[in-house]
Amino acid sequence: MLLQQLINGALASGIYALFAVGFTMIFGIMGVLNLAHADFAMVAAFTIIWAVSASSQPVLAVVLAVLMVAAVAVVLDLGIIRPSRRFQGQSQSDIELPLIGTIGAGMILQNIAALMFGNKAVVFSFQMREYMQWGGLYISKGLLLSAAVAVVLLVLLEVMVERTSFGRQIRAVAQNVNAARIMGINTNLVTLSTIVLTAMLAGIAGVLAGLSYGLVSPYMGGTYAIKGLVAMILGGVGSLRGAVLGSLVIGLTEALAVTYFGSQLRDSTVFLVLLAMLLLRPSGLFKSPGVG
Amino acid sequence: MAFWITILLSAAIIAIVSLGLFLQIRSGQLNVGMAVFFGIGGYATSVLCLRFGWHPAVAIPASVVVGIVLGGLFSAITLNLHHWFFAVSTLTLSVAAVTGIGKIDFIGGALGLVGVPIVTAAWPIVLSLALAIAAAVWVDRSWLGLLVRATGDDQVLAQVFGVHVKRLRVAVFALGCGLAALAGALHAHRFGVFQPNDLGFHNSLLFFVVVIVGGKTHVAGPLLGTVFLFVLPELIHITAETELIVFGGLMVLVAVAFPAGLAGAIQGLLGRTGRLRRGLVS
């Protein structure tokens, strides 16, 4: 029983990791905590639901979802994050204005979805909720797929950040925005691209979650946001590997909590882990040179 | 008329919490989980009255003390965190608290507590609001307020100038949570019920939006925010469905154009003379 929970918890952490990586990258390169990030997942999931019910074509639905998520990400960056960053550096601790803006954006997205699809959970268009047997254990097929997809995406992401020119630009902007600009990097383009890229990761995560759990709701972003944020903090802000590791810790902790304390105390246990981490090692597991 | 009194009393309760939150945000502690401490106050007084038979007049102040102590504790634990990370920790606290409290049967489990003695008099609420305003004004306008703002603007720099940031943060956070607990207690005694949902994130968000939209730079901000966000919907009939869009839109507007919220916008309109006369530039 415990092993089964642990395995499923580890698999679920794949989905969390896709969010955590987004949070940590956005924070790393622009110092902004994007609380609307998890809502990209919701946008993707609901776009698919809408597209499938309107046209019954899965491929078209996926394409639309990708475009929709990218569009929302662009609007978020150009319309909200970039203007609110104008105020950064002035007095009155206005550095958290982008955070406030993203909270507002999240609320708007959630409410629009609720108006269009209703307040409650909706059945997702594609389901993969069956369990398969492996040895004596039951493993969720959907979570297995999610973890596999997540691993592939994360490896690709790591390769991109470490080995490609674009990745170098991202790291440069994360280390020092002004120096990057002086070196001729188009920092606005880099930040925009990063937001769109991580938004798509979140969108994929949303679809995977819909597959694995069968239900999506306009407010599903909330839980994933918290887990992604906690994973980011656990792993060390700005560090990709830290985010992945942090997600694994959360997945496993949740599995342990459910086994020993019952599913009600799952979130409280995550909170305790966060607190413990903050008390013992506030900077997280990995340090990253990119965050000031 | 009675309808308006009801609305205003509810608004007063929200204003009390918002004033506390305002002070916390001033000190750099972005508390997105204020409803938890609101809930602590409500639960404390409910438990004291229902399970221990205390009289509300004693239970309410006791709840404030509980709020102060627990708030101070939380702040002391999270001293390492600034701005965003503090916000994340309060967010996590908020989620954990709702599910955690629902598990404890002694305080009513998932259904909460009913039958809390109802206090119909309005004067406790009015008096509490007056106290909250007085406390906020005193903290904000005095030398203490300057220290708080310094800590909120740049904690390291404040330390360089000799500000005891740790003590200040804990004290301000505790005070804010005390106010929230007071409001929660009053709320419990007004409606006779208190549930885990009252600790929920949508309440925290409401308080947060009130302070941010009202303006986090001036004591009048939370009051303006309460009026704007609480009384206005009654006037122009924003439905519960579109409420989040309106609130979200206001938050975005504040982030993009009006960082100092309503209070700041009004200050801007009144021109520099107001600020010069007061001697404080915001």
Side-chain angles (χ1 to χ4, degrees):
Chain A
M1 178 65 184
L2 174 64
L3 188 58
Q4 178 173 305
Q5 284 286 1
L6 281 179
I7 290 184
N8 278 320
L11 293 177
S13 71
I15 296 182
Y16 302 156
L18 289 174
F19 289 108
V21 150
F23 281 118
T24 209
M25 279 188 83
I26 294 183
F27 188 80
I29 66 162
M30 52 163 96
V32 167
L33 206 57
N34 177 14
L35 280 185
H37 196 73
D39 293 312
F40 290 132
M42 183 265 295
V43 167
F46 275 97
T47 309
I48 288 193
I49 290 182
W50 177 82
V52 166
S53 69
S55 74
S56 307
Q57 293 208 35
V59 177
L60 182 64
V62 169
V63 169
L64 268 178
V66 167
L67 290 176
M68 194 67 188
V69 167
V72 172
V74 169
V75 168
L76 184 70
D77 182 37
L78 293 181
I80 296 179
I81 294 185
R82 203 173 289 181
S84 57
R85 285 180 73 200
R86 273 200 334 254
F87 300 109
Q88 275 178 330
Q90 295 176 14
S91 66
Q92 278 305 319
S93 56
D94 285 328
I95 43 177
E96 75 265 6
L97 279 179
L99 172 74
I100 292 172
T102 58
I103 293 181
M107 285 162 80
I108 294 179
L109 285 173
Q110 289 170 15
N111 206 346
I112 292 181
L115 283 175
M116 286 173 67
F117 299 98
N119 245 334
K120 309 256 192 302
V122 174
V123 176
F124 193 60
S125 318
F126 309 106
Q127 305 264 330
M128 201 185 272
R129 282 175 33 217
E130 314 85 43
Y131 283 77
M132 50 179 249
Q133 263 205 315
W134 186 70
L137 306 166
Y138 286 96
I139 303 192
S140 160
K141 263 197 201 166
L143 283 183
L144 196 57
L145 176 68
S146 307
V149 170
V151 166
V152 168
L153 287 175
L154 290 170
V155 167
L156 283 176
L157 187 69
E158 170 87 2
V159 165
M160 183 205 76
V161 168
E162 292 292 323
R163 302 289 177 92
T164 67
S165 155
F166 182 56
R168 266 199 302 279
Q169 293 184 29
I170 292 181
R171 279 183 285 143
V173 173
Q175 284 183 18
N176 191 323
V177 176
N178 288 321
R181 267 194 212 127
I182 292 176
M183 299 305 272
I185 295 178
N186 185 343
T187 52
N188 282 338
L189 191 59
V190 168
T191 51
L192 182 63
S193 314
T194 308
I195 290 192
V196 170
L197 185 67
T198 51
M200 293 211 225
L201 286 178
I204 294 178
V207 172
L208 292 172
L211 275 180
S212 309
Y213 300 114
L215 293 172
V216 293
S217 97
Y219 307 109
M220 65 188 271
T223 17
Y224 290 112
I226 296 183
K227 300 198 184 156
L229 288 170
V230 174
M232 175 182 80
I233 295 181
L234 285 178
V237 179
S239 159
L240 277 188
R241 295 173 203 167
V244 174
L245 202 60
S247 309
L248 198 59
V249 169
I250 290 187
L252 293 174
T253 307
E254 284 189 336
L256 288 171
V258 168
T259 315
Y260 291 122
F261 304 132
S263 54
Q264 284 282 62
L265 287 181
R266 194 186 55 182
D267 298 323
S268 313
T269 318
V270 171
F271 176 64
L272 286 175
V273 169
L274 174 69
L275 267 192
M277 190 66 183
L278 291 171
L279 287 174
L280 298 171
R281 203 187 148 95
S283 55
L285 292 167
F286 289 98
K287 289 207 198 306
S288 151
V291 178
Chain B
M1 186 61 196
F3 170 72
W4 277 107
I5 294 188
T6 316
I7 295 283
L8 287 175
L9 285 178
S10 294
I13 291 184
I14 294 185
I16 296 176
V17 182
S18 308
L19 284 165
L21 183 59
F22 163 77
L23 291 174
Q24 292 178 349
I25 292 181
R26 283 287 241 183
S27 72
Q29 300 175 96
L30 281 183
N31 183 359
V32 245
M34 195 50 148
V36 172
F37 300 98
F38 177 81
I40 285 178
Y43 265 105
T45 190
S46 306
V47 166
L48 287 173
C49 290
L50 283 178
R51 302 268 189 260
F52 296 105
W54 287 25
H55 188 276
V58 187
I60 294 180
S63 318
V64 176
V65 172
V66 172
I68 290 181
V69 167
L70 290 177
L73 197 62
F74 183 79
S75 177
I77 296 178
T78 50
L79 278 175
N80 290 322
L81 307 175
H82 304 284
H83 298 289
W84 304 282
F85 304 104
F86 187 83
V88 171
S89 70
T90 58
L91 194 61
T92 322
L93 173 70
S94 178
V95 170
V98 174
T99 48
I101 292 245
K103 266 289 250 193
I104 307 177
D105 289 317
F106 179 69
I107 55 174
L111 294 175
L113 292 167
V114 287
V116 184
I118 297 191
V119 176
T120 48
W123 68 264
I125 297 181
V126 177
L127 180 65
S128 304
L129 179 61
L131 274 174
I133 295 179
V137 168
W138 176 73
V139 168
D140 198 57
R141 293 303 192 89
S142 63
W143 57 272
L144 199 57
L146 285 177
L147 295 184
V148 169
R149 279 169 56 189
T151 310
D153 280 354
D154 190 330
Q155 190 165 313
V156 176
L157 200 54
Q159 272 179 309
V160 166
F161 279 96
V163 178
H164 289 286
V165 287
K166 290 188 182 169
R167 283 186 230 167
L168 202 63
R169 274 179 63 150
V170 172
V172 168
F173 198 77
L175 175 62
C177 291
L179 287 175
L182 176 60
L186 291 170
H187 184 90
H189 284 294
R190 238 184 121 210
F191 294 107
V193 267
F194 213 80
Q195 305 169 317
N197 235 3
D198 290 322
L199 292 150
F201 186 60
H202 58 280
N203 271 343
S204 292
L205 208 55
L206 175 67
F207 301 139
F208 193 72
V209 173
V210 163
V211 176
I212 295 293
V213 169
K216 56 180 164 61
T217 54
H218 195 276
V219 182
L223 297 170
L224 281 173
T226 310
V227 168
F228 194 72
L229 287 174
F230 204 71
V231 177
L232 213 61
E234 300 295 331
L235 288 176
I236 63 178
H237 303 292
I238 300 178
T239 64
E241 277 129 33
T242 47
E243 190 182 61
L244 275 190
I245 293 190
V246 173
F247 286 179
L250 286 172
M251 297 267 274
V252 168
L253 214 56
V254 166
V256 171
F258 299 107
L262 267 179
I266 294 182
Q267 266 183 323
L269 279 177
L270 290 176
R272 290 197 65 88
T273 48
R275 274 180 276 169
L276 284 175
R277 220 187 310 131
R278 265 194 301 283
L280 292 167
V281 180
S282 286

